[in-house]
Amino acid sequence: QLIKKTSQWVQTGGGVRDEDDVRIRLDNGADRVVVGSICVDDPDRFSRWLSEFGSSRLVAALDVRIDEAGVPWPRTHGWTRGSERNLWSYLEYYQFRGLKHILCTDISRDGAMQGPNLDLYREIVKRHPTLNVQASGGVSSLQDLIDLDQTGAASAISGKALLDGAFTITEAVDTLL
């Protein structure tokens, strides 16, 4: 219904578990489908989807917790399950399978409105400059958006900041253009 009522580009995710979940969303007009836990739990399946649906139509959502050594480790299933491989390992794996889009959330910053993890996004862009990075977690101000833009991230998720009225979409667009 949302897609039919807007002329805006729509990316959708949540609960994507099989090919039909992806196909239904794309067939109903979604521009991209965000896939989370499957990217970590079944990389081969997600790789097949990249080939089948096109890498421009899928986004790997990798929510990470940073350990004491500064290494980002993906978490799945509502952040309740860990992974045996770190973020860098997954990105290396997907780099050769056509991945173009990643939505990376620093769990410790999500909803905290205490600023994004600029170092994390800067490092992802440095290691994988061809990836379109969607930065998520911590955005609380227009300055955060400016700072994220300077990391090389392609976009930012600004949910709580928008909901709480920290700034408007118009102000964000005006600031970044």
Side-chain angles (χ1 to χ4, degrees):
Q1 289 177 346
L2 174 68
I3 292 169
K4 291 177 184 174
K5 293 182 180 190
T6 184
S7 61
Q8 304 230 342
W9 177 89
V10 176
Q11 173 175 292
T12 177
V16 177
R17 298 289 180 253
D18 58 43
E19 290 177 24
D20 286 340
D21 292 333
V22 176
R23 188 172 289 108
I24 287 167
R25 292 165 195 240
L26 293 175
D27 288 350
N28 281 286
D31 293 281
R32 281 195 205 117
V33 177
V34 179
V35 180
S37 296
I38 295 296
C39 294
V40 173
D41 293 343
D42 196 345
D44 291 335
R45 182 180 350 169
F46 184 66
S47 294
R48 286 191 304 274
W49 293 356
L50 288 169
S51 294
E52 181 178 344
F53 297 108
S55 58
S56 64
R57 308 292 309 272
L58 296 175
V59 179
L62 297 164
D63 300 343
V64 299
R65 184 170 313 281
I66 313 297
D67 71 12
E68 304 80 33
V71 178
W73 293 89
R75 305 284 300 176
T76 63
H77 300 84
W79 306 339
T80 62
R81 295 185 193 168
S83 169
E84 294 178 10
R85 297 166 63 181
N86 65 39
L87 175 67
W88 311 128
S89 175
Y90 282 104
L91 293 182
E92 285 295 321
Y93 176 84
Y94 285 127
Q95 174 181 356
F96 299 106
R97 286 155 181 85
L99 182 67
K100 291 183 180 178
H101 301 278
I102 174 179
L103 190 166
C104 186
T105 303
D106 179 342
I107 294 168
S108 71
R109 309 273 179 123
D110 194 52
M113 302 268 298
Q114 296 180 351
N117 185 338
L118 301 173
D119 291 336
L120 172 64
Y121 304 115
R122 205 175 283 117
E123 186 66 21
I124 294 171
V125 170
K126 177 181 164 191
R127 290 178 184 226
H128 301 279
T130 61
L131 276 181
N132 291 302
V133 177
Q134 299 174 27
S136 177
V139 171
S140 64
S141 68
L142 293 171
Q143 186 61 50
D144 287 339
L145 295 178
I146 293 167
D147 294 344
L148 278 169
D149 186 49
Q150 293 172 356
T151 69
S155 57
I157 308 297
S158 305
K160 187 163 174 47
L162 289 169
L163 288 172
D164 287 356
F167 54 83
T168 67
I169 292 172
T170 301
E171 290 170 329
V173 170
D174 289 346
T175 297
L176 295 171
L177 291 181

